[in-house]
Amino acid sequence: MDRQILDRCLAVLALLVLSPLLLLIGAAVVLDSGWPVFFGHNRVGCHGKLFRLLKFRTMRQGQAGPSITTSGDSRITRSGKFLRKFKLDELPQFWNVVRGEMSLVGPRPEVPEFVDMNNPMWNSILKFRPGITDPASITYRNEELLLATSSDPIRFYEESVLPAKLALNLAYLRKRSLWLDLKVIGQTAQCAIFPGDIPIKETGVFTRKDSE
């Protein structure tokens, strides 16, 4: 079966199975900070095409701030802290998969300001549909805590974190297979259920050494 068709079928199934949880999360967002329930953000997709990535809203409305979110950001709501900790805010992206904009597993889509279309690494990565999860998401699952340690989070992200994530994604794409995707999904679920309790060396599908 074609990978995109399989992704779409599984995404529809996930939305049906998770519908009670999605309704509960939506109600929690509204009760905590009002409407809207969802947050849409422009991301760079396959072949550089922009699309609206969906998430449950985890930040307060009308508060400007940097594009990079760090741990302790005052814009994050009470319910948002819980949703982000367990990655539940990402669940609406199954709808992006149904729409054909994303895959279940693939390089995480980036915001336009951090994408360099003249960079060969980006050109290679953007040949594929972005995913809900990828090996870099597992390795950098505590990215907000890491960025909070820097005096200049945006520069630190651009110069250190993002290049490492791109290298991990390229390593994944070179070895991509159904079995590897299943492994990534399993490890993503494990990290979401037990955030912060699992050493990176036991969860990363690839390490930085693999990406060199």
Side-chain angles (χ1 to χ4, degrees):
M1 181 183 292
D2 178 83
R3 178 184 289 268
Q4 187 174 15
I5 294 176
L6 178 60
D7 278 349
R8 283 176 160 174
C9 290
L10 292 175
V12 169
L13 179 61
L15 288 172
L16 290 173
V17 171
L18 296 173
S19 56
L21 176 60
L22 298 176
L23 290 172
L24 284 173
I25 294 174
V29 172
V30 172
L31 290 173
D32 183 29
S33 58
W35 300 88
V37 171
F38 300 107
F39 169 74
H41 200 221
N42 282 337
R43 298 295 175 98
V44 181
C46 188
H47 302 303
K49 183 178 179 180
L50 293 180
F51 71 99
R52 295 290 283 179
L53 179 138
L54 294 177
K55 291 187 175 187
F56 281 114
R57 183 173 59 82
T58 60
M59 291 190 174
R60 295 178 177 85
Q61 290 281 77
Q63 292 193 9
S67 54
I68 289 292
T69 307
T70 62
S71 179
D73 194 310
S74 61
R75 296 172 294 171
I76 301 175
T77 62
R78 182 174 54 182
S79 62
K81 291 178 182 178
F82 178 84
L83 296 179
R84 294 168 81 98
K85 178 178 180 180
F86 294 97
K87 309 301 181 184
L88 295 173
D89 58 318
E90 310 282 359
L91 293 179
Q93 287 159 46
F94 283 116
W95 181 244
N96 288 117
V97 177
V98 174
R99 288 171 54 88
E101 297 161 334
M102 295 178 67
S103 297
L104 295 178
V105 181
R108 283 292 294 171
E110 189 56 84
V111 296
E113 69 176 282
F114 296 126
V115 176
D116 180 5
M117 300 300 292
N118 296 317
N119 186 324
M121 295 179 74
W122 272 116
N123 288 329
S124 297
I125 287 171
L126 292 177
K127 293 177 182 178
F128 300 86
R129 282 193 309 279
I132 294 178
T133 186
D134 63 359
S137 298
I138 298 171
T139 301
Y140 286 93
R141 63 193 179 279
N142 294 320
E143 180 180 300
E144 291 184 3
L145 290 172
L146 178 64
L147 294 174
T149 64
S150 172
S151 59
D152 189 345
I154 292 180
R155 182 177 180 181
F156 180 56
Y157 182 77
E158 288 183 306
E159 296 182 355
S160 298
V161 177
L162 183 56
K165 290 168 73 173
L166 292 178
L168 287 167
N169 281 326
L170 287 175
Y172 156 73
L173 291 171
R174 286 194 295 266
K175 300 180 181 180
R176 195 179 195 188
S177 67
L178 178 59
W179 170 248
L180 181 55
D181 284 358
L182 290 174
K183 186 176 181 181
V184 171
I185 291 171
Q187 293 183 342
T188 300
Q190 185 182 17
C191 291
I193 296 171
F194 305 105
D197 294 337
I198 307 166
I200 287 177
K201 65 181 181 180
E202 294 181 10
T203 58
V205 176
F206 298 106
T207 65
R208 293 178 181 83
K209 183 178 179 181
D210 294 315
S211 64
E212 292 175 352

